[in-house]
Amino acid sequence: MIIFAVMIDSFYSLRMHSSLKGQHLSGAEGIVSFESLEGETLAMLHRALTHERGCATRIALHVESLAPQDILEGPIPELSTIEVDDVAQGRRAARALLRQEGVSPRAIDRAMQDLAAGAASPGVNMRGAMLIDAATGQRLEPDPCRGIRVSRMDLRASGKALVFEALKQFGAARLRVKEALVLAAKVQAAPAVVAELCWSDDPSYVTGYFCSRTLGYVRITRLKEPGEALGGRVFFVNLQGRVKEELIEFLQRQPFWVTGVPRIHPPRPWRDE
Ligand code: PML
């Protein structure tokens, strides 16, 4: 009886990574209760088996119990959308936002070239994210094939319905958007991170985003061409004496709840200066 009482109060980090013939296919993250662990595990398995790029040939599921007192928390970013006419304009918009956060042109060029060409190696996506020095443009992740996988984060169960309701009003009530927002929230909780840029490696998904603590989560309606299967994430960092390994440890291992409901701004068209 006592053992059961402990279990029902517990949380679990649930992580999935799938690959197809040796190449990264998909990943998913969650912090789930004891009661929802089985259902959520099956849902992640289903995702790996029904991915638009094919059925996974290898699926790794990791389940690990978490002590509730070890879970930090931070706010969900506010959300806005920039509407652009085409990829070139979308990337100009992303560049302007990154410049606003002080990311150097060299770092932006490095990020965009590597996202477009394959961050792991030419034509090959990375499983995690790139870490790029916001001033020098130098890639900092210890394993450039693997990258940094942000892990062990979720919305608190009590706030999930409210966040989905807010996303619905925004026309973005999709699991993909919720997951990207949660990941971006944790990334922005790391003081060394200046900004994030992401476009999907799923061929049919062309909307990407920029995120920073000051400007929030900014969706950009086109950051790549339909059919393009190369993409990923970049975290621009300014270490300023901070220890890189501690940043990586935080991003990869620190359990993190994302709290609150995002403030939403109406979509606006991008105007080049
Ligand atoms: C991904 O799922 O591959 C990244 C998705 C980023 C875009 C999310 C959004 O539409 O806001």
Side-chain angles (χ1 to χ4, degrees), residues 50 64 85 200 212 226 245 254:
T50 57
E64 182 183 293
D85 296 333
S200 180
S212 73
E245 289 69 26
Q254 172 62 52

Side-chain angles (χ1 to χ4, degrees), residues 224-242:
K224 66 164 205 192
E225 300 295 350
E228 177 57 67
L230 293 171
R233 286 187 163 83
V234 185
F235 309 140
F236 296 93
V237 301
N238 189 347
L239 288 170
Q240 279 185 321
R242 296 184 190 94

Side-chain angles (χ1 to χ4, degrees), residues 10-33:
S10 302
F11 291 105
Y12 292 83
S13 154
L14 173 60
R15 298 183 292 134
M16 181 275 285
H17 174 252
S18 71
S19 51
L20 175 56
K21 296 184 187 138
Q23 284 219 17
H24 165 75
L25 183 64
S26 69
E29 287 289 332
I31 297 179
V32 302
S33 64

Side-chain angles (χ1 to χ4, degrees), residues 131 187-188 190-196 213 235-238 242 247 251:
L131 214 55
V187 171
Q188 293 307 318
V193 174
V194 174
E196 177 186 353
R213 278 183 287 281
F235 309 140
F236 296 93
V237 301
N238 189 347
R242 296 184 190 94
L247 166 67
L251 294 172

Side-chain angles (χ1 to χ4, degrees), residues 174 176-177 180 198-202 205 207-209 217 219 233:
R174 284 188 289 282
R176 182 195 295 274
V177 180
C198 166
W199 66 75
S200 180
D201 51 16
D202 291 342
Y205 203 81
T207 298
Y209 71 89
Y217 182 99
R219 305 179 75 218
R233 286 187 163 83

Side-chain angles (χ1 to χ4, degrees), residues 50-70:
T50 57
H51 196 272
E52 72 165 277
R53 282 192 281 132
C55 177
T57 48
R58 184 174 179 277
I59 304 168
L61 280 160
H62 296 268
V63 180
E64 182 183 293
S65 74
L66 299 174
Q69 67 274 16
D70 292 342

